[in-house]
Amino acid sequence: MNGSRERVLGRIRAALADVPAGEAPPDVSVPQTYAASHEQGERLELLAGRIADYRAEVHRTTGGGLPDTIAAVLSQRRTRRAVTASDAPPVWFTSTAAEVVRDDGVDVATLEGTDSVVTGCALAVAETGTLVLDSGAAQGRRIISLIPDHHVCVVNASDVVASVPHALHRLDPDRPLTWISGPSATSDIELERVEGVHGPRVLDVVLVE
Amino acid sequence: MSTAFMGMPGFPRAARAAVNDAQLRSNLRTATRTIREKRDAAVSELDDWQDLRAAGQAIKNRTLRHLDLYLERLESAVQAAGGRVHWASDAAEANRLVTRLVRDTGESEVVKVKSMTTQEIELNEALGQAGITAYETDLAELIVQLSEDRPSHILVPAIHRNRAEIRDILASHMAEWGTPAPEGLTDDPRALAEAARRHLRDRFLTTNVAVSGANFAVADTGTMVVLESEGNGRMCLTLPRTLISVVGIEKVVPSWSDLEVFLQLLPRSSTGERMNPYTSTWTGVAPGDGPEEFHLVLLDNGRTNALSDTVGRQALRCIRCSACLNVCPVYERTGGHAYGSVYPGPIGAILTPQLRGTTAEPEASLPYASSLCGACYEVCPVSIDIPDVLVRLREQVVSQPGHRSEKAAMRAAGWVLGGHRRLGLAQAAATAARSVVPRRLPPPASAWTDSRDLPSVPGRTFREWWRDRAEGKESGA
Ligand code: SF4
């Protein structure tokens, strides 16, 4: 601990001399008149549309069709090897011909040589087309969805929430979270959007109803 | 970044040079207009925008009025989650702290996530003097670093460069910093982004220390939040063993649920997107996933000075979205460098003098780098009344001993807008109108202020309106 802590806190208290001694934080009221969600459309339709706006692709399927859909997406992107979370459901990969590596602490070099990653997600936000990963079930460590150039994310319809407020309500801040809204992108060169600088350049979302 | 802002001339002189640069002006005009239109579209999608804005403003006010309490709460939450918290009262102390933390790891290289706070304290230079190389990993920051330039915009720091210049910078300088640019590099943005990807890939995978800032720090949970687009942030925040985040004390928000306001306000105001491609949040360390060590450096560096001014305090609400830059007629003509600070545009004009005081150039001239048109206030997602703070800072500048000449500052700043006498009159009129009917300008400028949210800068500037009016062309409506 350095003396700076006391110095900075002391300066703050001196700077706030105008704040009445009896004032508590709730005395500064925060209007809660904003909407919990914006009623912009049916959740799944909205999510699919928003994701398409980000130039990611949406594939809609049912529980029974999931293995074939995953196989089709991987073959469409010419995936030879895919990585997935150690606890991803085995049924996801019953149709694909690609080699599937489970994340039991795979090293970076292996990830570098892997074409695709297939994960689940904690939830998806319809209004913004956002997927949220929290390292929970079927998601694995943050690194696996970062290094391969192609990310396939499986979203269960029951995990689609309408809005950002609803999402925060359901998420656990103690877990490391990654919010993904479309593929990696930069607009730094004359504001022209280019997909993929460092994160996955291609994002496929498989929506399971 | 080797060129510091120290020794910058005042705004008028720097602006004069910028305004004469036709290429720069055309780059800026196109860029600000494009971002403005995207922002307007993204904002108009939410019918509760003004409610979100009011909530954002109130949350920040609540935090600032009880900042000591929230910082102590943040400190204990971060510690409980396995992180370590350090306090820095000024830039020198923050730099010493970070240098020591890097040295303790035994490493001499760090990767960096784009962060205005570390630019403000000139961390890269300080690390360099200690023999530690700091690598910028955001594409725009990389361009700025390779060309020994300075950022000119909060969101798109290399906005003043066109693709041909960027090609030349990457082609001639990448080799000095690591993986060279590929042979025959073209100026196609895709090729340039690909060159950056290759240049940085190894660096991400082998560097053990990262330095970042944070957009928000949640007091009750100890959670840090970083918004980005490229994925370089995710690389830096998850791959290295040690993560050091340098965060201004004003970045704290009270609780997790407050993010529901800011995660709606920031992306739409900033890049004009519903949500930026990537947002990372982390709370201390997560065993087996990401850095093993997390250090939070809480930075004052003049913020308590701004806090002590009951009018100027509101500048600390800023969430660095850059919306105010993109609507500012002065910024559009001068670009960011003229402001002589890492904080350009309208927010820079009030924040920099408050952080650094108004006794020296360029700080004393910054409060004049504005036409007081009010457009910045209208788009600000946390409703900072920038014109009001500017007027107050002007009072402060003229009242202080040794102030050379308000007239000189006025003359030159007026020149930027095209005519100092008219500007003076326009400012007087604007100021008078504001004090009678707050936040309203005479017609037709009132169209800006009547609609609470400014769609885009109207066809005529205030200056043009004034000229037309003076020449008897004003129809009265
Ligand atoms: S002052 Fe307001 S508009 Fe400008 S950058 Fe800060 S938050 Fe954005």
Side-chain angles (χ1 to χ4, degrees):
Chain A
M1 209 59 23
N2 51 21
S4 300
R5 181 183 189 278
E6 302 321 316
R7 191 168 332 130
V8 174
L9 286 171
R11 283 184 197 163
I12 291 171
R13 288 177 189 126
L16 294 171
D18 62 300
V19 177
E23 181 181 299
D27 296 338
V28 186
S29 71
V30 173
Q32 304 275 352
T33 49
Y34 57 90
S37 72
H38 294 91
E39 315 285 330
Q40 292 171 336
E42 193 276 323
R43 268 182 311 132
L44 299 189
E45 296 305 321
L46 193 58
L47 178 71
R50 296 304 199 221
I51 289 173
D53 283 352
Y54 289 125
R55 294 198 217 161
E57 216 171 300
V58 186
H59 312 264
R60 300 180 71 158
T61 184
T62 57
L66 183 56
D68 285 348
T69 306
I70 288 177
V73 169
L74 291 178
S75 102
Q76 181 195 346
R77 307 291 183 194
R78 301 185 198 294
T79 299
R80 282 152 309 173
R81 184 160 67 182
V83 65
T84 193
S86 58
D87 60 345
V91 67
W92 284 5
F93 304 101
T94 48
S95 292
T96 182
E99 177 198 351
V100 177
V101 180
R102 300 239 160 213
D103 174 29
D104 47 9
V106 280
D107 58 17
V108 176
T110 309
L111 287 171
E112 273 268 278
T114 302
D115 308 302
S116 304
V117 54
V118 184
T119 71
C121 64
L123 55 81
V125 186
E127 283 180 7
T128 58
T130 305
L131 313 165
V132 184
L133 273 61
D134 70 353
S135 305
Q139 295 161 58
R141 298 171 298 152
R142 283 175 281 176
I143 189 174
I144 69 167
S145 58
L146 178 59
I147 307 288
D149 204 22
H150 172 218
H151 183 188
V152 184
C153 186
V154 178
V155 183
N156 289 313
S158 57
D159 292 327
V160 179
V161 301
S163 64
V164 169
H166 287 167
L168 283 157
H169 214 77
R170 275 187 38 172
L171 291 164
D172 176 357
D174 286 343
R175 289 172 169 274
L177 304 181
T178 306
W179 298 51
I180 299 171
S181 308
S184 156
T186 183
S187 299
D188 282 341
I189 302 156
E190 296 184 9
L191 296 178
E192 187 171 321
R193 189 177 169 100
V194 176
E195 261 93 54
V197 190
H198 305 299
R201 261 182 279 222
V202 181
L203 175 65
D204 279 299
V205 179
V206 179
L207 186 53
V208 190
E209 292 164 58
Chain B
M1 217 194 332
S2 64
T3 322
F5 283 108
M6 294 301 164
M8 277 292 290
F11 181 81
R13 260 207 297 148
R16 187 181 293 260
V19 168
N20 283 329
D21 184 339
Q23 169 83 57
L24 175 76
R25 287 186 61 164
S26 127
N27 285 6
L28 283 168
R29 207 167 31 241
T30 314
T32 52
R33 186 164 309 147
T34 308
I35 310 176
R36 214 154 64 206
E37 282 165 8
K38 274 189 77 187
R39 179 246 167 223
D40 294 346
V43 163
S44 62
E45 224 175 71
L46 301 188
D47 50 17
D48 61 341
W49 186 254
Q50 297 306 339
D51 302 281
L52 284 167
R53 233 181 141 212
Q57 169 179 10
I59 293 167
K60 285 284 188 177
N61 282 346
R62 175 186 282 184
T63 318
L64 291 170
R65 288 175 74 87
H66 298 278
L67 191 58
D68 50 338
L69 181 145
Y70 288 116
L71 287 170
E72 288 181 305
R73 199 172 281 177
L74 174 69
E75 178 186 45
S76 27
V78 169
Q79 284 165 347
R84 287 189 50 201
V85 180
H86 314 264
W87 300 69
S89 54
D90 57 22
E93 189 176 13
N95 288 333
R96 272 200 307 275
L97 262 165
V98 177
T99 304
R100 180 172 61 71
L101 291 170
V102 177
R103 280 217 172 110
D104 286 352
T105 65
E107 302 287 339
S108 59
E109 296 186 337
V110 304
V111 282
K112 285 190 67 211
V113 191
K114 176 171 175 268
S115 136
M116 306 196 61
T117 309
T118 58
Q119 281 166 21
E120 174 193 323
I121 62 174
E122 296 177 352
L123 176 66
N124 292 8
E125 290 77 4
L127 289 174
Q129 275 162 21
I132 298 163
T133 313
Y135 295 100
E136 294 293 345
T137 65
D138 171 83
L139 177 53
E141 291 292 351
L142 176 69
I143 294 163
V144 167
Q145 183 172 50
L146 292 176
S147 55
E148 301 195 0
D149 197 357
R150 284 172 285 116
S152 64
H153 190 282
I154 295 177
L155 171 68
V156 270
I159 196 72
H160 54 294
R161 300 286 197 183
N162 59 36
R163 63 181 72 193
E165 291 176 292
I166 294 171
R167 191 218 80 97
D168 292 346
I169 291 164
L170 301 192
S172 38
H173 296 293
M174 269 185 167
E176 299 155 27
W177 290 81
T179 309
E183 289 293 320
L185 180 67
T186 69
D187 67 2
D188 172 24
R190 278 176 193 286
L192 298 172
E194 178 65 24
R197 183 184 180 98
R198 286 211 231 153
H199 177 74
L200 288 171
R201 197 33 90 114
D202 267 352
R203 181 147 301 137
F204 285 131
L205 301 182
T206 56
T207 308
N208 286 319
V209 184
V211 176
S212 82
N215 294 93
F216 306 102
V218 182
D220 67 359
T221 61
T223 309
M224 316 302 294
V225 184
V226 166
L227 284 73
E228 53 136 355
S229 296
E230 296 173 7
N232 64 305
R234 291 177 65 191
M235 292 275 182
C236 296
L237 300 170
T238 54
L239 294 178
R241 267 203 308 271
T242 303
L243 171 59
I244 303 165
S245 299
V246 183
V247 178
I249 51 176
E250 82 285 14
K251 293 291 177 74
V252 65
V253 298
S255 67
W256 177 249
S257 61
D258 293 328
L259 293 176
E260 70 190 25
V261 173
F262 296 108
L263 289 183
Q264 294 191 77
L265 287 175
L266 182 52
R268 288 179 199 260
S269 299
S270 177
T271 52
E273 294 168 299
R274 297 185 181 111
M275 193 65 91
N276 47 292
Y278 297 133
T279 297
S280 296
T281 78
W282 71 97
T283 303
V285 288
D289 186 351
E292 291 152 30
E293 248 186 72
F294 169 59
H295 297 275
L296 170 61
V297 177
L298 290 170
L299 178 72
D300 178 352
N301 202 34
R303 284 159 178 74
T304 45
N305 187 33
L307 190 68
S308 66
D309 183 320
T310 50
V311 176
R313 179 179 298 164
Q314 60 184 308
L316 297 176
R317 294 204 298 256
C318 175
I319 56 175
R320 316 273 189 261
C321 70
S322 76
C324 58
L325 278 64
N326 301 325
V327 295
C328 178
V330 176
Y331 176 86
E332 186 179 310
R333 284 162 177 75
T334 64
H337 289 163
Y339 293 81
S341 155
V342 294
Y343 303 107
I347 182 60
I350 59 170
L351 197 55
T352 305
Q354 292 201 94
L355 295 180
R356 305 205 293 225
T358 49
T359 48
E361 291 283 19
E363 293 82 359
S365 60
L366 282 174
Y368 297 93
S370 168
S371 64
L372 298 183
C373 72
C376 49
Y377 165 73
E378 296 300 329
V379 295
C380 179
V382 285
S383 305
I384 299 171
D385 193 340
I386 295 176
D388 199 30
V389 181
L390 282 169
V391 170
R392 182 175 164 83
L393 285 168
R394 288 182 187 188
E395 279 166 17
Q396 198 176 310
V397 169
V398 287
S399 69
Q400 79 204 352
H403 172 63
R404 281 204 297 268
S405 161
E406 183 189 11
K407 268 206 253 115
M410 286 290 278
R411 191 159 54 229
W415 188 88
V416 170
L417 289 167
H420 69 276
R421 282 221 332 281
R422 281 194 305 273
L423 178 76
L425 289 167
Q427 283 169 331
T431 311
R434 285 177 61 80
S435 61
V436 181
V437 188
R439 292 182 198 122
R440 280 193 52 135
L441 294 172
S446 59
W448 291 14
T449 44
D450 283 348
S451 60
R452 293 256 304 148
D453 202 47
L454 182 78
S456 53
V457 174
R460 283 193 301 177
T461 61
F462 187 86
R463 172 174 59 87
E464 285 158 350
W465 165 77
W466 187 267
R467 184 189 53 222
D468 290 352
R469 185 183 170 280
E471 289 166 7
K473 284 193 236 153
E474 181 56 40
S475 65

